[in-house]
Amino acid sequence: MQNMKEEDALYALGAMLAPALQRVGERCERGRTLEKWGLKPHRPDPRTSMALDDGDGYDRKIPEGLSGTVMFPIMNATDALASADILITAAAKKRPFNHHTASFLALCRTAVECSAQAIWVMSPVERDVRRARAAGLAKVGTEHARDYHDNAIQAHDQKLRVLPDVNYKQSQHRLKFHKEEIATLDALDQENGRKYTDLVRKAANWIEENPPAHATETQNVHIPTLSKQQYRLCSSFIHGHSWPTDLIGGGPSGMFSMMADAINTALIYTESAVCLYEAQSTDPDSTRTNYYPEELQPTIDTWRALYAAEV
């Protein structure tokens, strides 16, 4: 117990001497407040903009409907932020301290990329555009599922990886099912959602044009420039590139600054995705429990007005 107290004191001292480390911790805690939303998301309330997006049987034309197509990426983003906080909390208890910067930045990229997909789909004010984007994004995921089961069947047939009979039959069933889903999607208007770099850029442009009311840190910051730099930086660690280490000057302080900027960008994207989802899916008169932080409410209220004409 005494050692734990010493470790806590040493880490607190380190945070005082390196303000960027303190910012990392504070921003990770803020990201963790979205975890409950990711664990308890909700489908759209009746008569909301998103409920109408899924109306007229549209929710049966694309897998999981439009609401599910945007919900699941946001859930992944909130989980990435929660994992970043778990990692930093564990780092504070270890000796020697190891913040696993590469993994931390990979989690930040996950949050950015997943949130960007959802923002890209939800942001247009025209319902037909939102539906076309949801169909395009859904097709990408469905094609991945089709290819997975197709590969599994081929590997089994070639005796490269033999499956139990029940799994083999399941893959045959799923392959047929996903092919039928793709055929249904191909009958719909679609907007291409294949290039994640473009989705990150387009989401940043929308946030720049519609600054979140709750996020004071976005003031005097050009979000598209910030996101472009941070997405490239975080992606470099995903791909195992070493060049970002040249940016770390002054020892650990430079590393902590890099982490602080990355988690800040991840927060901007993920909070924006949650706010946009809630703005389009929540009836303000609903008595349902909201699992997002209260601080997000001003942004949700502001953005809800953007889609009022679609209700």
Side-chain angles (χ1 to χ4, degrees), residues 78-92:
T78 61
D79 183 71
L81 291 182
S83 299
D85 183 59
I86 292 170
L87 190 156
I88 292 301
T89 300

Side-chain angles (χ1 to χ4, degrees), residues 20-302:
L21 174 57
Q22 187 169 356
R23 292 197 298 274
V24 170
E26 291 171 350
R27 290 167 182 175
C28 283
E29 288 180 8
R30 177 172 156 186
R32 190 71 178 271
T33 64
L34 298 172
E35 182 180 26
K36 188 176 289 187
W37 187 96
L39 294 174
K40 296 184 177 182
H42 67 90
R43 293 287 183 170
D45 291 333
R47 296 180 299 281
T48 58
S49 176
M50 192 175 291
L52 295 175
D53 287 351
D54 269 340
D56 302 327
Y58 195 81
D59 59 336
R60 296 188 295 276
K61 296 178 180 178
I62 64 176
E64 303 297 338
L66 183 146
S67 55
T69 300
V70 296
M71 178 195 299
F72 290 116
I74 308 174
M75 292 169 63
N76 286 345
T78 61
D79 183 71
L81 291 182
S83 299
D85 183 59
I86 292 170
L87 190 156
I88 292 301
T89 300
K93 305 296 183 183
K94 293 181 63 177
R95 281 187 177 178
F97 297 128
N98 185 347
H99 291 82
H100 301 284
T101 304
S103 297
F104 182 89
L105 297 183
L107 289 168
C108 291
R109 175 183 138 150
T110 296
V112 167
E113 197 169 86
C114 288
S115 298
Q117 296 175 53
I119 293 169
W120 175 71
V121 171
M122 294 186 289
S123 56
V125 294
E126 304 89 356
R127 174 161 296 120
D128 59 341
V129 179
R130 294 196 297 272
R131 284 181 165 184
R133 290 185 176 186
L137 191 61
K139 184 177 179 181
V140 176
T142 306
E143 286 176 339
H144 288 177
R146 175 201 62 192
D147 293 346
Y148 173 87
H149 290 290
D150 189 32
N151 292 339
I153 290 169
Q154 290 186 45
H156 177 88
D157 291 345
Q158 296 170 17
K159 295 183 170 35
L160 299 175
R161 188 182 183 193
V162 177
L163 298 172
D165 286 345
V166 63
N167 297 99
Y168 184 70
K169 291 178 181 178
Q170 183 182 55
S171 281
Q172 288 179 314
H173 170 75
R174 296 304 299 180
L175 177 60
K176 179 176 180 294
F177 178 75
H178 292 311
K179 285 181 176 179
E180 291 172 351
E181 284 185 321
I182 291 171
T184 301
L185 286 166
D186 283 341
L188 304 174
D189 290 335
Q190 292 181 25
E191 190 168 337
N192 192 334
R194 296 181 184 283
K195 194 170 182 181
Y196 296 123
T197 303
D198 286 347
L199 305 191
V200 170
R201 174 179 55 81
K202 291 175 181 178
N205 290 340
W206 189 86
I207 296 171
E208 177 70 17
E209 294 168 1
N210 302 271
H214 74 277
T216 56
E217 68 273 13
T218 62
Q219 297 174 2
N220 303 317
V221 174
H222 189 247
I223 302 299
T225 298
L226 174 70
S227 68
K228 183 184 295 184
Q229 293 176 332
Q230 290 302 310
Y231 186 65
R232 188 177 300 277
L233 187 71
C234 293
S235 297
S236 70
F237 285 91
I238 290 281
H239 301 301
H241 298 159
S242 63
W243 66 263
T245 59
D246 297 334
L247 303 176
I248 301 175
S253 292
M255 179 187 73
F256 295 142
S257 293
M258 182 181 291
M259 295 169 66
D261 289 341
I263 191 67
N264 186 51
T265 306
L267 272 172
I268 292 170
Y269 271 84
T270 308
E271 288 181 344
S272 294
V274 170
C275 288
L276 201 47
Y277 186 93
E278 290 294 331
Q280 295 184 11
S281 67
T282 303
D283 184 339
D285 295 325
S286 172
T287 58
R288 177 179 37 75
T289 301
N290 294 321
Y291 291 105
Y292 55 82
E294 186 177 344
E295 289 77 13
L296 303 186
Q297 195 64 54
T299 300
I300 294 170
D301 293 339
T302 301

